Amino acid sequence: MSGNAKLSVGGRILNRVSGGNLLLLLLRRWDARVALAILTLLALSGIAPGLFVGPLQTATTAEAAPLLPPSGAHLFGTDDLGRDLLNLTVHGARISLVVGALSAVITLLLGGGIGMIAGYRGGRTDALLMRIADTFLILPTFVLALILAPILRELIGDQTEILGIRTTLLTIVAVIGVTSWSSTARIVRSQTLSLRERTFVERARLVGLSPMRIIARHIFPNIRTVLVANGIVVIAGSILTESTLSFIGLGDPFQPSWGTILGNAQSAAAPSLGAWWFIMAPGGAILFTVIACTIVGNAIDELLDRDVRVRR
Amino acid sequence: MSDQRRISAASGAPLLRVRGVSVTYGVQRSIADILARRPGGAIVALDDVDLDVDAGEIVAVVGESGSGKTTLARVITGLIKAESGVVEVEGEGPNDWRSVGMVFQDPYETLDPKRTLGEFVAEGLEAQGLPMDRIDASLEAAELRPASAYRDRVPEELSGGQRQRAVIAGALALNPKLVIADEPVSMLDVSMRAQILALIERLRREQGIAWLFITHDLSLAWAISDRVVVLYLGAVLEEGTAEQVLRNPSHPYTRALLAALPSTDPRAAGTHSLAAGEIPQGAAPSGCRFRNRCAHAVEACASARPPLEAAPSGAAGHRVACFRAAELPAAASVARHAPGGATPSGGA
Ligand SMILES: Nc1ncnc2c1ncn2[C@@H]1O[C@H](COP(=O)(O)OP(=O)(O)OP(=O)(O)O)[C@@H](O)[C@H]1O
Ligand code: SF4
Ligand SMILES: [Mg+2]
């Protein structure tokens, strides 16, 4: 291939998929626009629920009749204790946000770091790290969380807070982080392996740049978008895991979570009472969030794919 | 073009001294290879290569694809280790990065798409602990003027020629005495080629930088170099001044290469040809490496490797590895081929 082919029209834009660039490209797709809007709404609910509803106390105290269907006063209806479901769902976003964000950070730090080191160093370091990654890859997240959550809760106690986050949540985050870093590490490693052979890395080695600097300057910037795409997928997965754990009663009892609300609906026999709104509010929130994450993650992947194709 | 152009160190060791360098690549076999019982083993990319480059000299290494040119560049710059042999720059091992620069074939690949030219040039300075104020001077020395107009640009905003200048600037920043250029103009269009060649020539003239100019294009070698080394299947078959090797070639291979050029000189056209066109894959033949393609091959050629010895021309420094060099008829003079009509060294 001649060098000029790399300057084809598509390549001009896509050669530098990164940062703000990436956001602009995403906004050109209608599905990504909708998904990003949903995620923005989620983020706002998590950070500033006051924008939409009252403070947390108003959500957890009953003030209406139980099991009211959606109406002007209660847009999402009320639960079996007469609490406003919209209020609960908005406040529930915070847990999803915290769990999703923290899990993604842990996963990306562990998986990204280990993947880059394994890919760049190669040889025995690579073999060893990938063996460890494979071991973690087969750990079932949910089962592990199921076992660890009650144990840690017993050991540390419900009320203990670390940096303002209750330990139950931290358990969930830790379990998700520990079980999902390995697939990230694999993806990052294979990207690093091919980057390592690129001439600009070879030339950096030639002028004497240290491996750590090469990783920071050349490897990391070139896989940043891959990490973003991967992180979003991790967020979706961890929100699901948290919801499931809360649903079966292993979540944080002091902060409403979508999974907890769903669990309440289940124990209040909402399905058999025909109180569909009781399930719809938290269920819809989970569904839309996970779908939105998946759409954005896939869209980034597709953009990257084209990016890689153009560059080759 | 003659020996006068050679500004060699009057005495003492050459700037670059390569002796007996061999490189073998291990080849990994895929499952398909194993099932098909294809041998794994090794590719000998360089076999006992000797090479000198004097200070301020431009030496062209010419050879077909797969002859080991890039491997030679990688050994000299220390990117890979030779299995045997020595590589010395100013009498020292290949750890003295500052004195050897490298210009790669593909300027689109040598610059990280995510980083500016200034950051690219700064990289070597930082690694070597040199002051950053050399960035602008280096860019301007590579004719990217004014430096302020290029420093903050990313590769995608530049033409191939500008990129290759930036790569050269990155090498210049470290004050090299020798720059290895691996097919530096093969991906550029013709007008750019002449400019980059002129730049190389100027840097040699003004800064005394020696160049090892790797190319598969004999006309480029003719246009730029003082001396030419012909590489075939990892070994040197002929070497000498550009005049000696390209106008009075001794080795049947060199002659065949020259004859294969689209020639403007009717005397040179079609007088020699490569007997069997393909460069052998895998191991070189026993005896003379070139014998399976050589029109003059005789039985004796299979018995041993012909050593690199003084050419029948008797000219100093002209050496050839062929048993029959002395018996072969003198070669017809070969026409000058200058790339794009431009001969940067034309005035010399
Ligand atoms: N990393 C490698 N692993 C295995 N074999 C290699 C490797 N690099 C080069 N080779 C082989 O070594 C031989 C010499 O390759 P090299 O790249 O040095 O040739 P070249 O003269 O630069 O060719 P070209 O003009 O195609 O760039 C070839 O047979 C090639 O297939
Ligand atoms: S040694 Fe024999 S085979 Fe080799 S180049 Fe000379 S004549 Fe040809
Ligand atoms: Mg090459």
Side-chain angles (χ1 to χ4, degrees):
Chain A
M1 256 286 124
S2 96
N4 292 331
K6 287 166 191 157
L7 271 180
S8 61
V9 184
R12 266 192 185 281
I13 316 156
L14 288 166
N15 244 323
R16 273 165 46 88
V17 169
S18 69
N21 230 330
L22 180 64
L23 193 62
L24 283 180
L25 284 172
L26 278 179
L27 285 175
R28 290 192 188 167
R29 301 171 49 135
W30 71 267
D31 56 344
R33 271 203 302 270
V34 173
L36 284 172
I38 293 174
L39 292 182
T40 310
L41 210 61
L42 168 79
L44 285 177
S45 308
I47 295 163
L51 287 177
F52 308 97
V53 293
L56 188 56
Q57 291 96 310
T58 65
T60 49
T61 47
E63 51 179 29
L67 292 180
L68 288 178
S71 66
H74 304 282
L75 280 178
F76 288 8
T78 62
D79 71 358
D80 56 329
L81 300 176
R83 296 178 296 193
D84 183 52
L85 276 169
L86 173 62
N87 207 337
L88 281 172
T89 306
V90 168
H91 280 285
R94 176 164 294 181
I95 293 218
S96 297
L97 201 68
V98 167
V99 170
L102 285 182
S103 310
V105 166
I106 293 183
T107 304
L108 294 186
L109 281 180
L110 270 179
I114 291 176
M116 285 192 283
I117 291 171
Y120 190 76
R121 294 289 303 274
R124 258 189 279 165
T125 316
D126 181 31
L128 177 69
L129 289 174
M130 284 306 107
R131 210 51 70 239
I132 296 174
D134 288 343
T135 313
F136 277 93
L137 201 60
I138 54 167
L139 284 182
T141 312
F142 187 67
V143 177
L144 199 65
L146 210 57
I147 297 166
L148 284 184
I151 295 177
L152 283 174
R153 233 166 110 177
E154 200 53 43
L155 285 179
I156 311 174
D158 278 345
Q159 299 280 18
T160 327
E161 285 191 10
I162 298 172
L163 299 173
I165 303 158
R166 263 186 290 275
T167 45
T168 6
L169 272 190
L170 282 184
T171 317
I172 296 174
V173 167
V175 167
I176 293 169
V178 159
T179 49
S180 59
W181 68 268
S182 46
S183 63
T184 306
R186 282 233 162 255
I187 295 169
V188 168
R189 169 184 174 268
S190 73
Q191 295 276 329
T192 308
L193 276 179
S194 69
L195 278 170
R196 189 178 64 170
E197 303 301 321
R198 301 275 295 268
T199 312
F200 57 79
V201 172
E202 196 163 67
R203 123 97 208 186
R205 238 187 351 252
L206 190 108
V207 297
L209 209 65
S210 68
M212 276 304 145
R213 281 192 178 155
I214 292 179
I215 288 179
R217 299 284 165 70
H218 296 293
I219 309 285
F220 175 69
N222 282 290
I223 60 167
R224 203 162 40 199
T225 21
V226 176
L227 283 175
V228 171
N230 191 252
I232 289 172
V233 175
V234 172
I235 290 177
S238 50
I239 288 176
L240 265 184
T241 307
E242 188 280 329
S243 300
T244 320
L245 286 171
S246 299
F247 175 77
I248 59 171
L250 290 173
D252 182 342
F254 300 98
Q255 172 96 30
S257 132
W258 298 335
T260 318
I261 306 172
L262 264 184
N264 292 344
Q266 165 76 12
S267 42
S272 51
L273 292 175
W276 52 269
W277 59 90
F278 202 167
I279 300 162
M280 278 297 276
I286 295 170
L287 195 67
F288 279 118
T289 306
V290 171
I291 289 178
C293 285
T294 313
I295 289 175
V296 173
N298 283 348
I300 295 175
D301 255 0
E302 269 169 41
L303 288 175
L304 284 180
D305 226 35
R306 257 157 63 198
D307 186 32
V308 169
R309 265 210 303 278
V310 168
R311 240 190 265 170
R312 284 216 174 117
Chain B
M1 189 161 331
S2 70
D3 280 2
Q4 291 149 16
R5 221 177 83 182
R6 188 169 159 187
I7 319 166
S8 67
S11 63
L15 176 65
L16 168 71
R17 186 168 162 270
V18 175
R19 284 292 175 277
V21 161
S22 300
V23 173
T24 307
Y25 289 112
V27 176
Q28 287 203 344
R29 289 204 297 172
S30 68
I31 291 178
D33 288 337
I34 294 168
L35 290 179
R37 294 172 198 273
R38 269 191 290 271
I43 290 180
V44 180
L46 290 179
D47 187 2
D48 198 16
V49 169
D50 293 355
L51 178 78
D52 283 350
V53 178
D54 282 334
E57 188 183 31
I58 300 182
V59 175
V61 173
V62 298
E64 290 169 287
S65 181
S67 55
K69 306 184 297 294
T70 297
T71 305
L72 183 61
R74 289 163 58 88
V75 166
I76 295 171
T77 50
L79 278 170
I80 53 173
K81 293 259 167 300
E83 242 155 63
S84 57
V86 282
V87 176
E88 287 175 356
V89 177
E90 297 183 293
E92 295 186 6
N95 292 318
D96 191 9
W97 302 126
R98 283 198 205 185
S99 54
V100 182
M102 172 95 193
V103 175
F104 297 85
Q105 175 170 15
D106 186 349
Y108 295 84
E109 268 290 303
T110 314
L111 300 170
D112 186 335
K114 305 256 190 238
R115 301 181 65 76
T116 66
L117 296 197
E119 288 169 328
F120 171 76
V121 177
E123 191 167 86
L125 296 173
E126 186 195 351
Q128 299 293 339
L130 294 171
M132 291 296 156
D133 56 15
R134 301 174 56 97
I135 295 175
D136 285 5
S138 309
L139 287 171
E140 300 208 341
E143 290 167 3
L144 292 171
R145 291 196 197 91
S148 57
Y150 290 95
R151 218 175 18 218
D152 300 321
R153 288 166 82 178
V154 291
E156 113 188 325
E157 299 165 358
L158 304 176
S159 71
Q162 288 170 324
R163 288 182 204 216
Q164 202 57 300
R165 286 179 196 282
V167 174
I168 292 173
L172 293 181
L174 302 183
N175 234 341
K177 298 217 167 84
L178 169 69
V179 179
I180 318 289
D182 187 0
E183 312 237 18
V185 298
S186 68
M187 300 194 72
L188 307 180
D189 57 42
V190 171
S191 61
M192 290 289 185
R193 281 183 189 198
Q195 289 179 30
I196 297 287
L197 292 185
L199 173 62
I200 289 173
E201 176 64 40
R202 194 172 63 77
L203 289 169
R204 180 267 284 276
R205 204 170 54 238
E206 292 174 4
Q207 301 192 16
I209 295 174
W211 294 80
L212 189 68
F213 188 96
I214 293 173
T215 179
H216 62 269
D217 185 338
L218 293 179
S219 55
L220 278 182
W222 175 251
I224 189 103
S225 68
D226 306 324
R227 276 198 308 127
V228 174
V229 172
V230 179
L231 207 59
Y232 182 77
L233 286 178
V236 176
L237 294 192
E238 182 162 8
E239 68 172 356
T241 62
E243 197 82 20
Q244 289 162 356
V245 175
L246 299 179
R247 303 208 72 185
N248 191 18
S250 268
H251 199 285
Y253 176 59
T254 318
R255 293 183 179 191
L257 282 179
L258 281 162
L261 284 179
S263 179
T264 49
D265 182 343
R267 280 174 306 158
T271 41
H272 304 276
S273 61
L274 295 176
E278 283 292 292
I279 193 166
Q281 293 298 309
S286 64
C288 175
R289 287 178 180 76
F290 184 56
R291 75 182 157 86
N292 63 334
R293 293 168 80 187
C294 181
H296 308 285
V298 292
E299 234 171 84
C301 299
S303 60
R305 291 253 198 261
L308 195 60
E309 287 174 333
S313 69
H318 189 188
R319 303 201 297 161
V320 60
C322 170
F323 290 128
R324 305 191 60 202
E327 308 165 30
L328 299 176
S333 162
V334 176
R336 289 168 178 255
H337 301 277
T343 311
S345 52

